[in-house]
Amino acid sequence: MADTSSGPVAVILTALQVEYDAVSARLEGLTRSSEKGTVFERGRLPGTPWTVVLAQTGPGNDNAALVTQHAYDLYRPRVLLFVGVAGGLKDDVRIGDVVIGERIYDYREKQSARGDHYRPRGWEAPWRLVQHVQRMTFGPDVAGRVRVAPIASGNVVLDRETSELGEVLRGNYDDAVAIEMESAGVCRAAHLIGGLDTLTIRGISDKADGGKGRADAGGSQEIAAWCAAAVAVRILASLSPVQETPTLPDAGSVGGAPGVGSASQELLGASAAGTDESGPPEEGKPPTVPPPRRRRTLLSRARLRRRAQPSNRSRTTLMACGAVALVGVLVAVLLKATADAGPPDGNSALKSCKVSQARVKLHVAASIDLSKSLSDAARAYGARQSLDGTCVQIEVSSVNSGTAMRALRQGWPEDDGPRPDVWSPAGSEWIDLARTPATSAAPQLLPESEPQSIVTSPLTIAMPRPMAQTMGWPEATIGWSDLAKWAEDPTHFWAEHGNKQWGALKLGKTNPDYSTSGLNATIGAFYAKTGTTGELSIRDVDSSANQAFVRNIEKSVVHYGDTTLTFLANLRAADDKGGREEVLKYISAVTVEESAVVAYNKGYPCGAYSYARGCEQRGKPKTPLVSFYPKDSDPASDHPYVQLRGIGTAKQKVSDDFLTYLHSTDAYRKYFAPYGYRTYKGEVLAHTGIDQDHGALKTPQTKGYDAPDGKVLYRLQQVWASLRRRANVLVVIDTSKSMDDKVPGTGRTKMELLRDAESALFDGFAKTDRVGLWEFSNAANLGGKHHYLPLVDIGPMGEKLTDHHGLTRKDALKGEVTGLVPNGATGLYGTVEAAVDTMRKDYDPAAINAIVLLTDGRNEGVPPTPNLENVLARIGTPDKRVRVFTVAYGSKADQQDANGRTVLEEIAAATGAHAYDAKDPKILSEVLTSVISNF
């Protein structure tokens, strides 16, 4: 039964969770219903008359076809959009570009019985809709270009440049620009339904060339999904649904153009000519739709002939209108030229050129916290002509500073993706680290000259405002030596300051192997002990007294985030859950950059303007953070702009010019100041929000600082592994039957790929860390008593085990993972509850107590108790907190939403941990490295 009670209905379908989230974030008033097993959410597209029904199909054309039919039967939509990510098939397609499918090819089962040739089958998009979107402009949310082009759809992932599938596509579908797995099913269903207008809108997340895993791990799916969703809602907002009596057809289309249903003629309403006069929405405002214009009814031929002959007065009027129209066209052309030209001439010494003419890309690999700001700046800068006339476009990717540093040490091998032309880590320390050890290939790539900064941000010890005010903020100052002293008795710290209800002193810190704030905080602690702000030596790092001082600080750490974004996202989750009280129970202080504090207080939950899922700006936190600037040593993130060697003259000229543009006041105020960054000179300009209202001090009193050299930094990272707080961790692995499924494009099962990743799972632990291992499926399969089976008891990694033939626990853990055999159902909830209970009984107050849960499925094939609500209530108490870090493993993992989040996200959030996404099992090693960085 159609649901038309709240205005015209559009259906948007997605395949993956990341795609679903990107669309749902743009809707309001969402309500949920479950119809015959499919979950639908219905809401409004702000500023438009549209009611939008949203559903997730899961991967594959068959699923997509079934859900399309289901959605049509229930809601009778005017239009259906399929929105998601895809692989790019052309060299000039880049990450973040969006392809709107003018034709969908189904490349499945097209070979003849003799196997000698193919018979392509495809579906055309409605002609009027294609004409409409070809003339649209899209707002600033779209990171790349938008093009209308054919898309290939099948049930196989293409992730190799040379393969049988690649040859088929090049030989039979050579005009296809993107490849994905669902649109053929949607179009087939729409064809059978008849009259249902559909459009496929796909953001490019990889190049279908073997680099999909690395691209996805770098956040490319989030970027692509976000851009595709932005284009989809812009298209929907521009369509004005009207219901009219018969309309006068356009010339040459009497009877309807091929492939155009009646719905498209109603939909286009105000913009039937195929133009979008409204332009992109203003920043921060939803798109608006022009009021629908009345369509003319059919007239007699005689009246049409009379209307076709204007009077003399009409001719005069027409001439005047023509002059106005010509002026309007000239203005439009000038405006387009201005938009295409990029920044004003005063901020650029190079001529602009059209992005469509750019044949050379300048690749910039930037730290995660700055990459989106740089992407916005690059988009505004546009394409530029080098002195030799070469048109160069800038492309920004997001790469963790520590990860990029390790890639440069090895000369940036192909497995790490395309080598950048410019590298911008969060701090210059990573440049020195890249040059070490002696075998590093980085010196051949890194310039000898010292790079300039893009922006700067000092390191802070951030505290929730109530705690900071208790300690005398903003007048008082604290330092690393204070933290070391407080850590001597963390249990009674707040009781001694009159706030027993806040519990123990809890410090948050990021991992210095990957995070700049974590690295700088560790450097600062050593400087505080040695009493110097420079000339730190390896002897200072190896000093037992100095190490004891740093270890004393580390023992108050709650857990180590892999990045600042992860840690602050958990803090915001606590704030959303219980406000002030929950925040004060979660953390006492966290070492982050000043920019993260300002951005967090402005409503960016991850402390940065980021593409990462869940980092979109929303309301301000109930309990803001405020900044203490370490009085005894205050490192800073200087975000250097590093041009790598051998990039060529054309790229170098544009690169130099782009940096000049980034240093302009206009670019700083627009792209960096709103997120808490100081200028490249360390200045705070007026009206930028770096003030007490946002938890910062404009002119803090700090001590000078010089970074140690690369050899000292390298040694410091080595030593830190023995100084950090000990880990007490239980690894729990799903061994249900679905782990025996083959992963498309690999020829291997999920379990086989997991076995390959065991080094990433266990090598990150120190010998003194305590680790254990369980497998789980269902009780009947594991002896009839529990859904889980302990394989290795929790204990020190370096301990030799008599029940494992004298192997160390580390080797025993690896051996057990190698021998796992998939079978049975998935007793997820009972296993999680039992694992948390076990860890609480074996709780180590001096360690980080946590569970790593890897699962490819949902709670199924087991008794209904306990249910999710029971489990969340029991595992989420702050006493003896055991954090459950979840890893959604496999393409079908964790797709069922619960209260706006997936089941594994609910479990992680309830325990103050983080949910990781490894739905592409090929990137499991990279995900596990991030997980283990928390310990």
Side-chain angles (χ1 to χ4, degrees), residues 257-286:
V260 182
S262 60
S264 65
Q265 300 194 29
E266 292 180 355
L267 281 171
L268 291 170
S271 46
T275 60
D276 174 32
E277 300 175 355
S278 62
E282 294 182 31
E283 188 172 352
K285 294 184 180 181

Side-chain angles (χ1 to χ4, degrees), residues 61 82 104 151 153 180-188 200 202:
N61 280 299
F82 202 97
I104 305 298
I151 295 173
S153 179
E180 38 91 317
M181 298 175 62
E182 293 83 24
S183 294
V186 172
C187 291
R188 175 68 172 163
T200 292
R202 292 287 189 171

Side-chain angles (χ1 to χ4, degrees), residues 22 36 86 93 96 136 237 266 334 442 455 541 594 605 731 835 895 926 928:
K36 299 179 181 179
V93 177
M136 284 185 63
E266 292 180 355
L334 289 172
V455 288
V541 174
E594 177 188 67
V731 178
Q895 294 179 356
E926 297 169 55
L928 288 176

Side-chain angles (χ1 to χ4, degrees), residues 132-143:
H132 177 69
V133 299
Q134 282 178 330
R135 288 158 177 80
M136 284 185 63
T137 56
F138 296 91
D141 281 350
V142 183

Side-chain angles (χ1 to χ4, degrees), residues 198-215:
T198 65
L199 274 182
T200 292
I201 302 160
R202 292 287 189 171
I204 299 300
S205 61
D206 64 86
K207 300 299 290 291
D209 59 359
K212 176 176 171 56
R214 294 184 299 276

Side-chain angles (χ1 to χ4, degrees), residues 243-558:
Q243 296 182 12
E244 295 289 341
T245 54
T247 59
L248 178 66
D250 292 342
S253 61
V254 176
V260 182
S262 60
S264 65
Q265 300 194 29
E266 292 180 355
L267 281 171
L268 291 170
S271 46
T275 60
D276 174 32
E277 300 175 355
S278 62
E282 294 182 31
E283 188 172 352
K285 294 184 180 181
T288 59
V289 179
R293 290 179 258 173
R294 301 292 294 180
R295 301 287 297 277
R296 292 176 292 172
T297 56
L298 288 170
L299 304 173
S300 70
R301 292 187 179 182
R303 291 180 64 191
L304 283 174
R305 283 195 297 270
R306 287 197 298 271
R307 286 195 174 189
Q309 302 296 326
S311 65
N312 289 336
R313 183 164 55 182
S314 296
R315 289 191 184 97
T316 303
T317 304
L318 285 172
M319 290 174 66
C321 291
V324 172
L326 177 59
V327 172
V329 170
L330 290 174
V331 170
V333 170
L334 289 172
L335 287 175
K336 184 179 186 302
T338 301
D340 191 51
D345 290 341
N347 295 329
S348 173
L350 300 179
K351 293 181 180 180
S352 66
C353 52
K354 293 182 179 180
V355 170
S356 60
Q357 296 175 343
R359 295 294 178 263
V360 175
K361 299 286 182 66
L362 179 74
H363 295 277
V364 179
S367 61
I368 295 173
D369 53 344
L370 201 66
S371 59
K372 192 172 184 182
S373 291
L374 281 176
S375 293
D376 289 351
R379 190 159 55 247
Y381 177 80
R384 293 282 160 177
Q385 281 187 0
S386 185
L387 299 182
D388 63 357
T390 303
C391 185
V392 180
Q393 182 185 6
I394 297 170
E395 187 174 75
V396 179
S397 60
S398 177
V399 185
N400 180 288
S401 297
T403 301
M405 179 271 292
R406 286 166 176 80
L408 279 169
R409 275 183 182 166
Q410 302 174 53
W412 206 286
E414 291 184 3
D415 288 347
D416 291 306
R419 194 176 78 190
D421 303 304
V422 175
W423 177 38
S424 179
S428 291
E429 294 89 342
W430 299 107
I431 303 172
D432 292 330
L433 275 166
R435 298 181 190 275
T436 56
T439 55
S440 173
Q444 300 173 16
L445 299 174
L446 294 171
E448 294 182 0
S449 59
E450 185 175 340
Q452 296 186 61
S453 296
I454 301 173
V455 288
T456 60
S457 187
L459 184 68
T460 74
I461 301 171
M463 300 181 75
R465 188 186 293 271
M467 289 179 166
Q469 290 173 334
T470 297
M471 304 308 296
W473 188 87
E475 292 81 10
T477 59
I478 62 175
W480 307 111
S481 54
D482 294 307
L483 286 184
K485 183 177 179 180
W486 298 350
E488 291 176 359
D489 186 14
T491 303
H492 302 99
F493 176 79
W494 287 118
E496 293 174 356
H497 287 79
N499 290 282
K500 182 179 180 180
Q501 73 278 11
W502 293 346
L505 175 74
K506 305 178 189 73
L507 179 64
K509 188 170 178 285
T510 50
N511 189 318
D513 287 339
Y514 298 93
S515 166
T516 305
S517 64
L519 179 60
N520 281 338
T522 308
I523 295 169
F526 272 99
Y527 274 162
K529 175 58 177 174
T530 59
T532 182
T533 57
E535 301 179 358
L536 193 71
S537 67
I538 292 178
R539 179 178 296 179
D540 292 327
V541 174
D542 288 339
S543 163
S544 58
N546 294 345
Q547 289 186 12
F549 177 87
V550 175
R551 187 182 291 111
N552 216 31
I553 295 176
E554 299 285 341
K555 74 180 184 181
S556 293
V557 172
V558 177

Side-chain angles (χ1 to χ4, degrees), residues 760-841:
L761 185 57
F762 297 117
D763 285 351
F765 291 104
K767 291 182 179 180
T768 54
D769 289 331
R770 303 179 75 251
V771 183
L773 176 66
W774 286 8
E775 66 170 304
F776 79 98
S777 57
N778 65 312
N781 186 59
L782 296 175
K785 189 174 182 181
H786 301 295
H787 299 319
Y788 58 90
L789 179 67
L791 300 176
V792 179
D793 292 336
I794 298 175
M797 287 291 274
E799 181 182 8
K800 292 186 177 182
L801 306 178
T802 56
D803 57 343
H804 283 79
H805 310 290
L807 294 174
T808 64
R809 180 169 272 100
K810 180 178 179 178
D811 290 335
L813 290 165
K814 291 184 175 184
E816 290 289 354
V817 169
T818 302
L820 292 176
V821 177
N823 199 13
T826 313
L828 176 63
Y829 297 159
T831 299
V832 170
E833 185 177 45
V836 172
D837 287 344
T838 298
M839 291 300 294
R840 284 178 175 159
K841 293 174 183 176

